[in-house]
Amino acid sequence: MGRGRLRVYLGAAPGVGKTFAMLSEGRRRRERGTDVVVGYVETHGRPRTAELLDGLEVVPRKAVEYRGTSFTELDVEAVIARRPQVALVDELAHTNVPGSRNAKRWQDVREILDAGIDVVSTVNVQHLDSVNDVVEQITGVPQRETVPDEVVRRADQVELVDMAPDALRRRMAHGNIYAPEKVDAALGNYFRIGNLTALRELALLWLADKVDEQLDRYRADHEIRRTWEARERVVVALTGGPEGDTLVRRAARIAARTRGSDLLAVHVARSDGLTDADPATLARQRTLVESLGGSYHQVVGSNVPDALLDFARGVNATQLVLGASRRGRVAQLFSRGVGVTTTAQSGPIDVHLVTHEEANQGRRWKALRGSWGVPARRRRAGFALAAVLFPLLTVVLDRLRAEFSLTSDILLFQAAVVGVALFGGFWPALFAAVGGSLLLNYYFTPPLHEFTISEPENFLQLVVYVIVGLTVSTVVDLTARRGREAAAARADAEVLSTLAGDILRGGGDGVRPLAAILERLRETFGLTSVTLLERSGEDDGLADPRSWTIVATVGGAPCTTPDEGESDVLLDDGSLALVLRGRTLPAEDRRVVEAFAAQAAVALRQRRLAETAEQVRPLEAADRMRTALLNAVSHDLRTPLASAKAAVESLRSPDVDWSAEDRDELAGTAAESLDRLDRLVANLLDMSRLQAGSLGMSPQPVAAEDAVPRALAYVGPDVPVDIAVPPGVPEVLADPALLERVLVNLVSNAVRHNPPGHRVLVTASALGDRVELRVIDRGPGIPAEDRDRVFEPFQRLGDRDNHTGVGLGLALSRGLAEAMGGSITIEETPGGGLTMVLTLPAARARGERPDAGQAHAERARGGREAAPDPSAPDPSASDSAASDSSASDSSAADPLMLDRVAAFRDRRGDGGDPSNERGQR
């Protein structure tokens, strides 16, 4: 049994009818005899959608309990057990209730597909991961439920459900999408014309990309090489020459004429590794292409036109942009060139030949001089050999004239020309061939001692002699030049490979790679120093140090201007200069130096981008914190203020005669609201002090068996909490008031998430020089990837109610714990649930004085009879904490808390008994 097939209806916006289309498809398949069931469908109260469910088998949903409320979700087990041919599952991006089989519905669908069942599902474009942030920028509404793009891309069929914005707004106004009381707000916010138009375009573009992938796959599977003009794609060919910038910009303008077209740049590298391309120029042109929204590619081929057309056909290109030939008119007579050949073989691909400044200029003499195959020393020796060998050969053959014919003389001279060509290259061989022909004509061709030839046969022999000599010398020189170029290319490749390795090993921050590039350049060419300069705001000339700033340098004394070095390379239109000191580099090494310079410029840009990102990161964090604070606190500040204000205004109202009970109730409401507001402000102040590092503390030994009941007394009189602190647990070194607040937050959080009928367990244990306090619940738990998020301020992970506090409890608790030298970590409770582990240093481990521990133990042995006077200040509470939080003061003298402490000691049986371990210690 294979995997099931997935069909997805992609909605351009909510309400376009994707669920209606899914149910209609299900009914069509059922009418054709297919076994179809409804796994999960949400009708949202729309009658026409609900009508389509008639006659379709609906698999009962699975009930999931969460925080005392029952929710229904897709029953994956029931669908797989039913084993239909097709299952209809709505809302692919839905997030399941905590405690469900999977966290997301698309994971449920994946299980159903793996069971061999076809699935028809729905999703809106705003729920796709890749466009989620774009949708939030457009609509201002964050989408919390998302689905990975790959899940939808791997679907066997994706069908767009679309509707014109005006038609969708009319459907909304008629009440076919939302309830009448929500229509006006929806039309004025999310369902504005601009928002719907943008969502529609996003859906069309996303689906076009998927269709494009399917088309490429189909063409590859069927080996289709012809161009299908389904989408405009412009390919620009780069040679690494200076004309590349002109070609890229021209191709970008061509691509911009058609919306949604692609721009691709390609460089064809020769398969023999020999190329005239400038690496620095190619790097600059690649940056230009990417800045214009295109992509850069490099292919290898021995025949440039064939490789170029193979690439263009492979990407289904419709237009090809080439530069006009740089070769001279005479050279074009012997070879048509890349442009003309590509145009003749392009077929349905349109070819643009763009003129530029380098067109028809031919090869410069400097380039020709630099293409000599043999070194200058061998060329000079070749000329000397020709000057000595041919006169000597003439003298010898003149004395042996009776024994050799003219043909033999020409062959011997021909052998001498070949020898000179092998040793000295083309130019000495040319000199030898011309000089030898003159000697043969003067001394051996009748009439003798005259530069005339009487016999046509003799003339033909001399001409053939010259042609063969030139041909052999050309081949020898070309071979030598190619060998030299191959050796240089191999050396360059090794240097650049080492450079790439240095960059990768140097790190990704842009700082170390820049130094690694300059150091590798210095070592490779044996330089004294290498300096990267940047032009400053002042422009007093290249030789003025005030015009340049040293960005990076390695080696000896840095250069302050480009003129101070033996060589320099200008980058980024002269704004950067790489200055080399130590020796003058030959011209053939400049290409590699320019490659180093281009990489140095890239590394500098990366470093500055990293620095900018580091500067922006705190601002982004502060902005996120500010936004979260405003969103979270606005409700929690207004609610208690409104309640207190309403109660006070009611008491002050002269129109109502309140009874004593009513007055007490209103006063109690006002006091409770103000207490809630006071706790919120205290938490905010403590969080701000933690972030500023100005929270005052007074660490002292605190017994866990004392701190836990105090915290429980503050949480509430009837909290379902069990305490299991075994005897012998060392005291912790902490601020009593801050420790109490941490425990209050942890216990309150556990009670809030614990299922009904279960009790929270608080335990303590010693671990080396530290003490661990564990708060254990049996709630839904937290996924491992989200455990760090719960300690971020203003986070209410998993809360469906957006107004259950501002989300500062756990963040403040971790901050207080770390301020006291401890930590808070999260563990999974065996059997299900969450365990908060508060770790604090043991008092003994910090060198606690015996008298301090004894005094604290004496305070702990008092029991109910020894309870402190509620009116007396609590000596264990720090002054700073008491002034910061009213919760600390109230809990220190709460009679109910004292009763709980005494009851806890009575349960342990160590009430005031000095024989127990605590009393002995």
Side-chain angles (χ1 to χ4, degrees), residues 212-226:
D212 202 44
E213 292 177 4
Q214 293 176 333
L215 179 60
D216 290 342
R217 191 181 308 116
Y218 178 85
R219 285 167 49 85
D221 293 342
H222 292 77
E223 298 181 355
I224 298 175
R225 305 289 294 171
R226 278 187 305 110

Side-chain angles (χ1 to χ4, degrees), residues 293-581:
S295 58
Y296 177 86
H297 308 268
Q298 182 165 320
V299 297
V300 178
S302 57
N303 187 286
V304 175
D306 290 346
L308 190 58
L309 289 173
D310 286 344
F311 174 82
R313 295 187 183 106
V315 298
N316 200 24
T318 56
Q319 301 192 58
L320 185 60
V321 178
L322 302 174
S325 177
R326 287 183 290 174
R327 301 183 312 138
R329 299 184 183 276
V330 176
Q332 293 182 27
L333 295 176
F334 297 95
S335 176
R336 296 189 300 175
V338 174
V340 177
T341 304
T342 303
T343 304
Q345 301 176 2
S346 63
I349 302 177
D350 297 335
V351 179
H352 303 264
L353 285 178
V354 181
T355 59
H356 50 85
E357 295 180 355
E358 301 293 327
N360 300 322
Q361 296 298 318
R363 291 177 62 90
R364 302 291 191 271
W365 169 251
K366 181 178 179 181
L368 182 63
R369 186 179 59 187
S371 66
W372 285 342
V374 296
R377 183 182 62 183
R378 285 182 54 184
R379 290 198 304 272
R380 289 192 295 267
F383 280 110
L385 177 63
V388 173
L389 179 61
F390 280 84
L392 181 61
L393 183 61
T394 301
V395 173
V396 172
L397 292 178
D398 184 58
R399 293 183 178 180
L400 300 176
R401 184 183 300 274
E403 300 179 10
F404 293 97
S405 64
L406 178 61
T407 304
S408 299
D409 295 338
I410 293 176
L411 289 177
L412 290 174
F413 269 80
Q414 185 71 68
V417 172
V418 173
V420 173
L422 291 174
F423 186 79
F426 176 77
W427 297 107
L430 177 63
F431 170 74
V434 174
S437 66
L438 294 176
L439 291 175
L440 284 170
N441 184 13
Y442 189 81
Y443 287 102
F444 302 102
T445 304
L448 300 177
H449 305 108
E450 294 182 8
F451 289 104
T452 58
I453 303 174
S454 60
E455 298 293 336
E457 181 181 0
N458 296 339
F459 177 78
L460 178 62
Q461 290 175 346
L462 287 177
V463 171
V464 171
Y465 156 76
V466 173
I467 293 175
V468 170
L470 293 179
T471 303
V472 172
S473 61
T474 301
V475 172
V476 170
D477 188 77
L478 180 62
T479 303
R481 184 167 65 248
R482 291 305 185 195
R484 186 179 180 187
E485 290 176 355
R490 179 177 179 180
D492 293 348
E494 291 178 354
V495 171
L496 296 177
S497 175
T498 305
L499 170 63
D502 290 342
I503 294 174
L504 292 176
R505 289 189 295 270
D509 55 3
V511 180
R512 288 174 292 174
L514 180 57
I517 292 170
L518 301 185
E519 181 61 28
R520 177 59 60 183
L521 175 61
R522 188 188 68 81
E523 292 177 355
T524 300
F525 295 101
L527 302 172
T528 303
S529 68
V530 179
T531 306
L532 182 63
L533 300 176
E534 183 177 25
R535 190 183 295 274
S536 59
E538 302 176 0
D539 190 5
D540 297 326
L542 295 178
D544 194 334
R546 292 177 298 177
S547 301
W548 299 93
T549 302
I550 298 177
V551 177
T553 183
V554 295
C559 299
T560 58
T561 65
D563 292 343
E564 295 182 4
E566 280 76 11
S567 301
D568 64 87
V569 177
L570 297 180
L571 302 166
D572 293 347
D573 298 329
S575 61
L576 293 175
L578 187 66
V579 186
L580 315 178
R581 173 182 287 175

